[in-house]
Amino acid sequence: KMCADLVTGLDPARFEPEVICFDSLGPLAFRLADRRIEATLLPRRRGVDISFVGRLASRLRSSRVDVLHMHNATAFEYGMAAAMLARTRGRVFTEHDRLFPDPSRAARLHGFLARRASFAVAVSEKLRGALAEFERFPAERLVTIHNGVDPKPFLDAPARAVARAALG
């Protein structure tokens, strides 16, 4: 939902967003299609799928992607490798939540990738601290943007008494 809100909120005169999913499109793909935003399934095999990196890099090159915005650890691992192969300059990572510390191999991989990211976004100060401490994200390229909720759907909600009466 956060990704769909992000891309639908971009100025279409300045940005041409595309969403690439690697496990399933999910129900929000239809919402994106209604806004003329392409959502593509680029499937990967179970387990570690090294060939996925090449397919994603090829897609980044053919779409001439300027900025790749990756959400959560798996997308970060595959996306950063593909972005480096494709020479995609803008590499943004957003971490929403994860247990820290990761196993040492994952932490070492993330530390290597972190130094090659344009910047990383954490959704809380605690998460920001964990990314800096355990995965060595450079502090000058690590920011916190707290999760937000668009209040518009709730503004037309019925009054509390009406809602309670309707629910019995």
Side-chain angles (χ1 to χ4, degrees):
K1 178 160 182 359
M2 196 277 318
C3 180
D5 287 344
L6 178 66
V7 297
T8 57
L10 293 172
D11 180 354
R14 296 181 56 211
F15 300 98
E16 297 175 36
E18 176 183 352
V19 174
I20 299 174
C21 303
F22 50 83
D23 288 331
S24 67
L25 282 179
L28 293 177
F30 297 108
R31 178 175 161 204
L32 297 175
D34 291 343
R35 304 288 290 269
R36 294 193 171 105
I37 297 172
E38 184 178 355
T40 303
L41 177 61
L42 190 63
R44 69 181 173 118
R45 291 189 300 260
R46 289 183 161 271
V48 177
D49 183 3
I50 298 300
S51 67
F52 181 77
V53 173
R55 292 193 313 276
L56 181 55
S58 178
R59 180 62 181 255
L60 296 175
R61 281 189 299 267
S62 67
S63 294
R64 301 180 66 192
V65 171
D66 294 315
V67 177
L68 178 64
H69 189 171
M70 302 152 279
H71 296 268
N72 288 331
T74 302
F76 180 57
E77 293 162 4
Y78 284 111
M80 282 297 295
M84 289 186 294
L85 278 175
R87 294 196 169 106
T88 301
R89 291 181 58 207
R91 303 167 187 167
V92 179
F93 168 58
T94 296
E95 179 60 65
H96 298 271
D97 191 21
R98 173 159 47 108
L99 294 176
F100 288 96
D102 267 353
S104 61
R105 183 177 294 163
R108 284 194 306 270
L109 172 63
H110 292 182
F112 171 81
L113 297 174
R115 291 185 298 278
R116 286 145 182 87
S118 302
F119 69 93
V121 177
V123 299
S124 71
E125 286 300 322
K126 184 174 181 176
L127 190 53
R128 181 179 190 266
L131 288 172
E133 178 182 353
F134 296 112
E135 298 193 349
R136 306 287 191 250
F137 275 86
E140 67 277 5
R141 288 185 273 142
L142 186 56
V143 299
T144 301
I145 301 176
H146 296 279
N147 280 330
V149 176
D150 180 2
K152 290 178 203 163
F154 305 102
L155 295 177
D156 294 330
R160 181 179 175 144
V162 173
R164 289 179 65 86
L167 294 171

